[in-house]
Amino acid sequence: MSYNINEKGYYGEFGGAYIPEMLYPNVEELRQNYLKVMAEPDFKSEFDKLLKDYVGRPSPLYFAKRLSEKYNTKIYLKREDLNHTGAHKINNTIGQILIAKRLGKHRIIAETGAGQHGVATATVCALMGLECIVYMGEIDIERQAPNVARMKMLGATVIPALSGSRTLKDATNEAIRDWINNPVDTHYIIGSVVGPHPYPDMVARFQAIVSEEIQWQLQEHEGTKKPDYVVACVGGGSNAAGAYYHFLEDTDVNLIAVEAAGLGVDSGESAATSVLGKEGIIHGSKTLLMQTTDGQITEPYSISAGLDYPGVGPMHAHLYKSGRAEFISITDDQAMKAGLELCKLEGIIPAIESSHALAIFEQKTFNPNDIVVLSLSGRGDKDLDTYINYFNL
Ligand SMILES: *Cc1c(COP(=O)(O)O)cnc(C)c1O
């Protein structure tokens, strides 16, 4: 069995491009060109150079000594938190802006929930001098004021989505409407391994730099390219896809995906998509998503804005269904505790998304000789208010 994408754009039974006919030319143009463009030497060298000089790659693979001692196993942290803009998302937005330029697009649109992807998109638009329009639910604009300010400072126009629940899915609808109306000059930057084919594959390939680096960095540290476990939190699934990418077909390497259980998997307030999800179509791809018995999408909940998504990318739906990856759900409380523990033991304040991944060490026991690589997807600066309120700091 293969765990990567097939020619038709499917991971097992998941994926595809379930889009309105009016969007077909846009998506088809991208599908026909993305692999060709990415293979051009000129593209590769510009992408690599920006990752090095602008993003600050390679991100370190750090042996967390005190954390390892506490859990009696070997824990390495892949430090995506040290990237410019504070998370892994920039790897993807750099890649997509280079594709957009080569396809002759000079207008960029995106949708954002918590604002992290909006900021990463506004950043690369400023870098390239391209027009940037970010759709964001009116409610999210109120909740995420600092990120809205960042986007504006970076020169983006933030347009509120006023329909429906005025959150992420409504912003997505607005972005799709915009793209239908501007098929020639506009590229739509999607922020995770979600959306119609070729987006999940394209985003996974841009994030694959993470596992490419893990391989040679682990060789330097441990004399082997292969960890025993790779652990990552999953919202849409892009930091996990990047951390897994070069290990997907090597079943000696165990993959662990950590989802947000919110107040508890069975509480009705969670974002544990694969466990609770049923097959359905969201954002143009067939995947697992949280829905009511008559197929309406359920509002997810997590203390972490980046994991608060009702679906999961098709790669992860397949990893779940096939059993290739182990899925673990972590509650708000478990994540917050693990986040604070990393601060105290290693002097690193993690994003609350990443804190979910860190929390598995309380739940699962590893052998002393196991090499566990954990994707530290982002830094905690953006979450300071949440930490302050939670711990009464
Ligand atoms: C957005 C975000 C996530 C979740 O997105 P994925 O596509 O699942 O990686 C995780 N961590 C951080 C820090 C984020 O900003």
Side-chain angles (χ1 to χ4, degrees), residues 22-23 26-27 30 92-94 96-97 99-101 105-113 117-126 129-136 151 155-159 168 170-192 196 199 202-203:
M22 308 229 314
L23 207 56
N26 311 37
V27 173
L30 194 61
N92 167 49
T93 56
I94 295 255
Q96 286 199 48
I97 201 101
I99 295 226
K101 274 208 318 183
K105 313 289 175 181
H106 50 80
R107 186 173 171 274
I108 299 295
I109 58 171
E111 94 282 329
T112 196
H117 173 58
V119 170
T121 301
T123 300
V124 297
C125 288
L130 299 186
E131 185 184 357
C132 181
I133 290 139
V134 179
Y135 291 94
M136 191 169 184
M151 286 183 260
T157 306
V158 180
I159 301 185
L168 180 62
D170 313 290
T172 305
N173 291 338
E174 295 295 330
I176 289 173
R177 201 165 299 147
D178 181 314
W179 208 22
I180 288 172
N181 290 327
N182 299 282
V184 178
D185 65 346
T186 299
H187 174 69
Y188 179 16
I189 298 192
I190 293 183
S192 189
Y199 278 100
M202 180 171 65
V203 177

Side-chain angles (χ1 to χ4, degrees), residues 291-332:
Q291 52 189 307
T292 61
T293 43
D294 51 355
Q296 291 296 310
I297 293 168
T298 313
E299 278 290 323
Y301 164 79
S302 164
I303 193 166
S304 145
L307 303 183
D308 195 352
Y309 179 71
V312 67
M315 176 198 280
H316 300 284
H318 182 49
L319 293 175
Y320 177 77
K321 256 296 183 58
S322 63
R324 172 70 184 91
E326 178 183 0
F327 280 68
I328 295 180
S329 310
I330 292 294
T331 63
D332 288 358

Side-chain angles (χ1 to χ4, degrees), residues 87-89 116 192 233-239 306-307 351 353 377-378 382:
H88 65 290
K89 287 192 171 71
Q116 293 303 110
S192 189
C233 64
V234 174
S238 68
N239 87 90
L307 303 183
E353 291 86 357
S377 54
K382 69 182 176 64

